[in-house]
Amino acid sequence: MATPILIEDVESHASDWSAIADRIRGSKNVTVLTGAGVSAESGLPTFRACGLWEEYRFEDVATPEAFARDPELVWRFYNYRRAMAMSAQPNDAHRAIAKLESSMTVPFTLITQNVDGLHHAAGSREILELHGNLRRVRCTGCKKTETTEEKLSELPRCECGALLRPDIVWFGEALTAATLLKAQAAAARGGVMLVVGTSAVVHPAAGLIEIGRVRGAFLIEVNPAETEATHLAHAVFRGPASRMVPALVERVTA
Ligand code: NAD
Ligand code: ZN
């Protein structure tokens, strides 16, 4: 395929910026897919950048096997992540995505792999959270879910007596079918797909980019580094989300 448009700063490439903004403005459908990179500038480490908590790899504490073996360890990890997410503030990229949604008159879908709740905090309304949310807990007995920002104990229990777990999709677990189907349907509508701050290696989330591409979407990537999705992109903004996304949304909504 042809070389993608590559934009590395907000001051130059004026004609490319407006061509891409026109694409979004004229599209019959807009899908935004975000990953940990969109929250990096809110102070939440990305998975690839750190991937370690104490001496444990994320993959070793974010699994159903780890929870069955040592729920206290897993809850310590999640209480730490909950505290970080709840003290973080959305950044200009989250806010720009919310602004883009409110300016749209065509179908708009925000799909996130993040579990930090920062898109909600920034004012996005419809969000497909593929991997759950740190603020939610789920009972391992009665399956009831609840949103709580309170500090939890290291072995929190439901009123039915069973252990609570984070309402997160762990490694090796299936995504909620309804959420995944909605995300796939949005990707399959084509139009424009804006992919922000994801390494595009975690499936099935990364597969949404391929669905968009085969359904003819104009694919835009925002990421300071090359990713598994770069070769599929029509346009690449090679820079931090908090600078590139607001600059793009400003041009779309101007
Ligand atoms: P990832 O860590 O694999 O990749 C992060 C990507 O963000 C990288 O490509 C990196 O180059 C890019 N990036 C870094 N700084 C950026 C910036 N300022 N602006 C734009 N992009 C930037 O993350 P992933 O692809 O989302 O997959 C990791 C998995 O880990 C996901 O399933 C997610 O649920 C989970 N996770 C979530 C959070 C969160 O909720 N904030 C944090 C860490 C991990
Ligand atoms: Zn219960």
Side-chain angles (χ1 to χ4, degrees), residues 34-41 44-49 58 81 113-117 131 134 171 196-202 222-227 239-242:
T34 66
V38 78
S39 296
E41 292 161 275
L44 301 178
T46 65
F47 188 57
R48 308 294 135 190
F58 278 15
R81 292 193 68 192
Q113 299 167 79
N114 295 347
V115 292
D116 54 36
H131 296 156
L134 286 169
F171 291 100
V196 186
T198 175
S199 56
V201 294
V202 175
V222 180
N223 200 308
E226 192 169 333
T227 75
S242 75

Side-chain angles (χ1 to χ4, degrees), residues 161-219:
L163 207 55
L164 292 171
R165 59 165 278 177
D167 197 19
I168 296 284
V169 178
W170 282 329
F171 291 100
E173 291 187 317
L175 275 65
T176 306
T179 310
L180 180 60
L181 284 173
K182 280 188 206 161
Q184 288 170 334
R189 280 199 289 267
V192 166
M193 186 181 254
L194 178 63
V195 179
V196 186
T198 175
S199 56
V201 294
V202 175
H203 280 267
L208 296 168
I209 303 168
E210 281 146 27
I211 295 176
R213 194 64 178 74
V214 296
R215 299 302 287 258
F218 182 80
L219 205 84

Side-chain angles (χ1 to χ4, degrees), residues 106-126:
V106 295
F108 175 93
T109 310
L110 170 58
I111 307 165
T112 189
Q113 299 167 79
N114 295 347
V115 292
D116 54 36
L118 292 183
H119 284 301
H120 279 288
S124 283
R125 289 188 300 262
E126 299 282 332

Side-chain angles (χ1 to χ4, degrees), residues 26 84 130 198 230:
M84 265 215 303
L130 294 177
T198 175
T230 305

